[in-house]
């Protein structure tokens, strides 16, 4: 049975107040931990840098397991993709079928009550799916986009394939266990099937969602919103994300993203936080308690910022280690000092020992040697800076390629090298 919170506002408010009394807000203040004494109380955990795709922390991130309503992140992606493609708009009306209305009556499954035959806008249903994790609203959107939830699930599978995600179980748009569904089950699925992904899969989905549709955060950052019920009047929805401002585990910089809970998935949570110009994505699957998914996420976010930082590899004017000076053919001096004229930084773990970087020079022409004359500050080519193999892990292979490009900059001559005359060149050819 699905264990998502009931949507009655007075119950959510009661739980919120109770949690505030039981867990003081400063209990989870930032603490500095070291890699040796750090672990997360959950079956799987992952922290990823949004921009670079760098793994900041990993724990069982490639083990497939149930993910419950975290599934909705992919559904939200496809709804916004359809809007971006002009296939529907935020103001389009959605008529509620009897099956969806029946599903919405089960408030234990995270729902707002939807009346059969009534209409709601795409945006209204989208907001309830984001803030309250409303399952019936998600199915209604799925049917609108693809004609049926079955067809929508097929679209979800196609999208996953384009992102390189191939090992998963996907039977509906919501993350409910099949035994809780009142709508028809996906063909060939079993009565107790439930969606399964790895933490890495979820991080890939989340990152694409935020990259392609950053406006998603305009909805996920809301701690509450009012839903205009057709039968019972306006009702306040409270977010299931308790790290948002005003919630029991409030954490500065958190503006999303999605909870998930079923008997099989356990309390799970995908979070995102922006701090000091860096955005981090976190994934926790199957935490020990509903509260622990937030307290452990808070710790994981602190770890991501305390243990990783953009660090300077080379300063402007620095000689390039291990490759400078560089041999020069036909020059009065046999080598030239090479430098960079801009600072080169990279997101790296904070460590006491210096990193063993590898520097590779790529000359402007096809040769592997420089030839005189050379003028001071003349651009000679590019230098690629790499960490030793396997020092960093990336979310997608394209991230590793992008990191190599980002860690590439032009190198310059640090001094003049004049060309020797014909007789010296001849002498060197004869006797060298």
């Amino acid at each position: 049975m699905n264990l998502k919170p009931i949507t009655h506002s007075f119950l959510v408010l009661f739980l919120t107040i109770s949690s505030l009394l039981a867990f003081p807000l400063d209990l989870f203040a930032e603490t500095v931990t070291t890699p040796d004494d750090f672990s997360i109380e959950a079956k799987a955990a992952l922290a990823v840098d949004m921009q670079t795709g760098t793994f900041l922390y990993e724990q069982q991130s490639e083990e497939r397991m149930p993910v419950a309503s975290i599934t909705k992140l992919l559904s939200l992606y496809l709804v916004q993709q359809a809007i971006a493609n002009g296939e529907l708009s935020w103001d389009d009306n959605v008529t509620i079928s009897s099956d969806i209305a029946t599903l919405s009556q089960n408030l234990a499954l995270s729902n707002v009550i939807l009346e059969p035959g009534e209409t709601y806008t795409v945006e209204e249903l989208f907001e309830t799916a984001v803030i309250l994790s409303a399952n019936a609203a998600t199915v209604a959107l799925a049917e609108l986009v693809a004609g049926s939830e079955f067809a929508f699930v097929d679209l979800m599978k196609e999208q996953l394939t384009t992102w390189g995600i191939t090992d998963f179980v996907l039977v509906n748009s919501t993350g409910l266990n099949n035994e809780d569904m009142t709508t028809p089950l996906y063909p060939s699925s079993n009565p107790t099937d439930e969606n399964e992904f790895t933490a890495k899969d979820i991080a890939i989905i989340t990152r694409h969602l935020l990259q392609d549709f950053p406006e998603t955060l305009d909805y996920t950052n809301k701690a509450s919103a009012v839903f205009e019920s057709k039968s019972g009047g306006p009702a306040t929805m409270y977010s299931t994300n308790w790290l948002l401002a005003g919630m029991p585990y409030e954490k500065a910089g958190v503006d999303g993203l999605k909870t998930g809970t079923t008997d099989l998935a356990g309390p799970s949570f995908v979070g995102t936080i922006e701090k000091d110009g860096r955005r981090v994505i976190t994934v926790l699957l199957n935490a020990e308690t509903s509260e622990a998914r937030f307290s452990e996420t808070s710790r994981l976010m602190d770890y991501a910022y305390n243990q990783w930082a953009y660090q300077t590899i080379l300063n402007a004017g620095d000689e390039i280690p291990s490759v400078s000076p560089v041999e020069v053919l036909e020059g009065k001096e046999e080598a030239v000092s090479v430098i960079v004229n801009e600072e080169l930084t990279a997101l790296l773990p904070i460590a006491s020992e210096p990193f063993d970087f590898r520097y590779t020079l790529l000359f402007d022409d096809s040769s592997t040697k420089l030839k005189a004359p050379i003028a001071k500050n003349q651009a000679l080519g590019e230098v690629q800076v790499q960490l030793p193999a396997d020092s960093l892990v990336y979310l997608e292979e394209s991230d590793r390629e992008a990191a190599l490009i980002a860690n590439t900059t032009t190198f310059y001559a640090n001094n003049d090298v004049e060309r020797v005359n014909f007789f010296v060149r001849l002498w060197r050819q004869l006797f060298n």
Side-chain angles (χ1 to χ4, degrees):
M1 178 177 178
N2 192 283
L3 301 177
K4 298 292 289 185
I6 298 173
T7 64
H8 295 303
S9 60
F10 73 88
L11 179 57
V12 178
L13 183 60
F14 171 77
L15 292 173
T16 301
I17 294 173
S18 300
S19 298
L20 284 169
L21 294 174
F23 299 95
L25 292 181
D26 62 355
L27 181 62
F28 300 104
E30 270 196 30
T31 55
V32 177
T33 56
T34 60
D36 291 339
D37 64 13
F38 187 81
S39 63
I40 290 295
E41 295 298 324
K43 284 191 175 179
L46 182 62
V48 176
D49 179 70
M50 170 76 176
Q51 179 180 347
T52 64
T54 306
F55 276 32
L56 310 177
Y57 178 84
E58 184 275 342
Q59 178 179 310
Q60 299 294 105
S61 69
E62 297 198 49
E63 180 180 338
R64 200 182 74 194
M65 57 187 69
V67 297
S69 285
I70 289 172
T71 301
K72 292 186 178 73
L73 294 174
L74 179 54
S75 298
L76 298 176
Y77 182 96
L78 291 179
V79 170
Q80 291 181 96
Q81 185 180 68
I83 293 172
N85 292 340
E87 298 166 12
L88 64 150
S89 71
W90 290 110
D91 296 329
D92 283 351
N93 287 320
V94 185
T95 302
I96 302 303
S97 68
S98 58
D99 283 343
I100 291 175
T102 300
L103 179 61
S104 77
Q105 305 299 315
N106 190 342
L107 297 181
L109 298 181
S110 283
N111 275 308
V112 292
I113 295 177
L114 305 174
E115 300 292 343
E118 293 288 356
T119 60
Y120 303 85
T121 67
V122 169
E123 187 167 25
E124 285 176 317
L125 296 178
F126 186 91
E127 189 171 61
T128 65
V130 171
I131 296 177
L132 199 60
S133 195
N135 290 293
T138 304
V139 177
L141 289 171
E143 291 185 355
L144 178 67
V145 170
S148 70
E149 189 181 21
F150 298 165
F152 188 81
V153 171
D154 290 338
L155 289 179
M156 297 170 78
K157 291 181 176 182
E158 290 174 12
Q159 186 61 65
L160 291 171
T161 301
T162 65
W163 292 333
I165 300 173
T166 56
D167 183 21
F168 56 83
V169 174
L170 188 60
V171 295
N172 57 51
S173 62
T174 61
L176 289 172
N177 191 287
N178 266 353
E179 67 178 356
D180 291 321
M181 297 291 290
T182 59
T183 54
L185 301 184
Y186 187 74
S188 75
S189 67
N190 296 315
T192 57
D193 278 352
E194 189 166 320
N195 297 341
E196 295 182 6
F197 293 100
T198 67
K200 181 180 178 180
D201 294 338
I202 294 299
I204 292 172
I205 294 168
T206 301
R207 188 177 181 214
H208 282 283
L209 174 66
L210 298 182
Q211 284 177 331
D212 295 347
F213 305 109
E215 59 271 24
T216 303
L217 296 172
D218 295 337
Y219 297 91
T220 63
N221 68 5
K222 295 179 181 180
S224 64
V226 175
F227 176 73
E228 295 291 343
S229 172
K230 305 296 183 182
S231 57
T236 302
M237 304 181 294
Y238 292 92
S239 175
T240 57
N241 176 5
W242 285 11
L243 286 177
L244 293 176
M247 300 299 277
Y249 294 85
E250 175 180 346
K251 189 173 187 65
V254 173
D255 49 7
L257 203 59
K258 190 73 197 69
T259 56
T261 308
T262 61
D263 290 340
L264 292 178
S268 302
F269 179 61
V270 176
T272 184
I273 180 173
E274 188 170 39
K275 178 181 176 183
D276 301 329
R278 284 173 52 203
R279 179 172 291 280
V280 169
I281 295 168
T282 59
V283 181
L284 255 74
L285 299 182
N286 207 326
E288 292 187 350
T289 65
S290 183
E291 293 80 9
R293 62 178 159 184
F294 300 117
S295 59
E296 290 298 285
T297 292
S298 181
R299 292 180 59 242
L300 182 56
M301 288 174 171
D302 289 343
Y303 178 93
Y305 287 101
N306 292 335
Q307 298 298 330
W308 289 77
Y310 274 92
Q311 300 178 52
T312 299
I313 301 175
L314 293 172
N315 288 297
D318 280 354
E319 285 196 31
I320 303 173
S322 75
V323 296
S324 180
V326 178
E327 182 182 359
V328 178
L329 300 176
E330 300 182 3
K332 288 187 175 181
E333 291 79 27
E334 295 184 353
V336 61
S337 169
V338 291
I339 62 172
V340 293
N341 280 355
E342 62 179 353
E343 183 181 57
L344 193 63
T345 63
L347 182 64
L348 300 167
I350 298 171
S352 57
E353 297 296 325
F355 292 99
D356 184 20
F357 295 114
R358 185 177 70 202
Y359 300 88
T360 303
L361 298 184
L362 307 173
F363 296 97
D364 279 341
D365 58 32
S366 59
S367 68
T368 57
K369 296 288 182 76
L370 296 177
K371 190 173 182 179
I374 294 173
K376 183 176 181 178
N377 295 325
Q378 177 182 334
L380 301 175
E382 292 185 325
V383 55
Q384 287 183 343
V385 185
Q386 293 175 280
L387 281 172
D390 301 325
S391 294
L392 295 181
V393 180
Y394 295 95
L395 190 59
E396 300 179 80
E397 187 57 36
S398 59
D399 293 322
R400 184 176 299 279
E401 298 167 2
L404 185 58
I405 295 172
N407 294 337
T408 300
T409 189
T410 303
F411 70 91
Y412 302 82
N414 197 30
N415 54 273
D416 296 323
V417 178
E418 295 181 12
R419 191 184 189 197
V420 295
N421 60 41
F422 169 79
F423 297 104
V424 174
R425 296 199 304 273
L426 179 61
W427 177 268
R428 288 180 178 176
Q429 289 178 355
L430 292 174
F431 295 99
N432 188 16

